[in-house]
Amino acid sequence: MQIRKEKILVTGACGQLGTELVEELRKIYGEVQVLATDLIDPRSESLKSGPFEKINVLDKNGLGQLVNRFQPTQIYHLAAILSAAAEKNPTLAWDVNIAGFMNVLDISKTASEKVFKVYSPSSIAAFGPHTPKNPTPQHTITDPTTVYGITKLVGERLADYYFINYGLDVRSIRYPGLISYKTPPGGGTTDYAVDIFYKVVQDKSFTSFLGPDTALPMMYMPDALRGTLELMEAEASRITIRSAYNLNGMSFTPQQLADEIRSQFGDFELKYAPDFRQQIADSWPNDLDDSVARKDWGWKHQFGLKEMVADMLKNVGILVG
Ligand code: NAD
Ligand code: SER
């Protein structure tokens, strides 16, 4: 059997997820095999360890030419406008999240050399106020009330459509809020759970834009990276969900997160000033049922609240000196 040498193109590579995913992909497949792309210049030194190209995913011709030149076997499509940013510019969010994804799907299906796999994440935002919240099943009511959630739900349906109609091997995960320290989050409703660490370590004070009892599903970045790579490496025959898999990590409220940080770091001032993001968070699940991902391709999270807080405090402490 001939072993295929993978070449991977990543869109939105400068973001919170992309920066770290490119690092992991380059460790596995080699630096020159992974082409990082984004609308903006790379912010992280690690992205400069291999090829980088500036590209707007809305430029279908430019993206198509790049794909035909680089000939990727896999595309990780991460370019997106996240929930809070999308509420401020719904038209841009619709264009980037839907038209951008359609461009990637169409180019993948017609590329001069075969694109074997496409990855494009969904989100807990695909759910809405009538979705059962605790836990949210894999198959359930999806009635998102944010433009970001609407685009993520359309993206899920498109992924399924391209798999059924064109046999394109599209895979996806409904990520919970991602918590990490290497790259700042890009304008989401779960960003408070990253910001709190910097504010506590630097100022010993934090004001949460979500109220104390708002429970949301969250995941520490190492789990998200491992889950993504495990899904992409799984045998195609094991993938029963082409829209997007529920993936659970942990679930906590701002109060529970603050209590855990206090127990490990010491006291700090905590205030609450809920804003427009409260309404978004209130429409999302508290916790996810990820039994289908566990059964299909063996997903299992490793980081709970305690372990995540310990690792974040250690690394944010090093970063801010
Ligand atoms: P991010 O906002 O940090 O990064 C997105 C990147 O896309 C940015 O670097 C931005 O410059 C780029 N981008 C925006 N418009 C573009 C365009 N027109 N052309 C090319 N690039 C463009 O987002 P992220 O957190 O890294 O998210 C990556 C993916 O994961 C997205 O699909 C997002 O919806 C999904 N997701 C993220 C989270 C999370 O908590 N971070 C949770 C659920 C789902
Ligand atoms: N963390 C993301 C957001 O808040 C969820 O997709 O937008």
Side-chain angles (χ1 to χ4, degrees), residues 12 14-18 38-40 55-57 78-82 96 121-123 148 152 175-178 186 190:
C14 295
Q16 185 191 10
L17 176 61
D38 203 294
L39 192 61
I40 59 171
I55 188 81
N56 184 340
V57 293
L78 309 180
I81 307 295
L82 271 71
V96 175
S122 185
S123 160
Y148 173 68
K152 285 293 161 186
Y175 290 127
L178 300 181
T190 56

Side-chain angles (χ1 to χ4, degrees), residues 9 22 33 99-100 218 268 299 311 313:
L9 186 146
V22 167
Q33 299 298 110
M218 300 280 184
F268 64 92
W299 163 248
D311 205 55
L313 283 173

Side-chain angles (χ1 to χ4, degrees), residues 66-115:
L66 188 61
V67 166
N68 284 333
R69 189 155 31 94
F70 183 67
Q71 300 188 347
T73 55
Q74 301 184 27
I75 297 182
Y76 283 70
H77 174 53
L78 309 180
I81 307 295
L82 271 71
S83 60
E87 288 309 297
K88 292 182 179 156
N89 195 341
T91 309
L92 177 70
W94 182 266
D95 287 347
V96 175
N97 297 4
I98 301 296
F101 187 30
M102 277 293 275
N103 286 345
V104 168
L105 290 169
D106 269 340
I107 289 166
S108 298
K109 122 173 140 44
T110 53
S112 58
E113 290 294 322
K114 192 163 169 52
V115 177

Side-chain angles (χ1 to χ4, degrees), residues 191-257:
D191 293 10
Y192 90 86
V194 174
D195 300 343
I196 188 170
F197 288 95
Y198 288 87
K199 292 284 183 332
V200 165
V201 171
Q202 282 173 319
D203 308 332
K204 293 206 167 50
S205 167
F206 178 67
T207 303
S208 171
F209 60 71
L210 297 183
D213 302 320
T214 311
L216 287 171
M218 300 280 184
M219 182 172 283
Y220 199 35
M221 189 59 91
D223 270 346
L225 296 171
R226 187 175 50 78
T228 304
L229 296 169
E230 285 176 4
L231 170 64
M232 287 299 275
E233 282 159 15
E235 282 294 325
S237 58
R238 295 174 66 186
I239 310 297
T240 64
I241 306 287
R242 292 296 173 168
S243 49
Y245 278 98
N246 280 8
L247 224 60
N248 212 30
M250 60 193 101
S251 169
F252 55 75
T253 64
Q255 187 66 59
Q256 288 166 334
L257 175 59

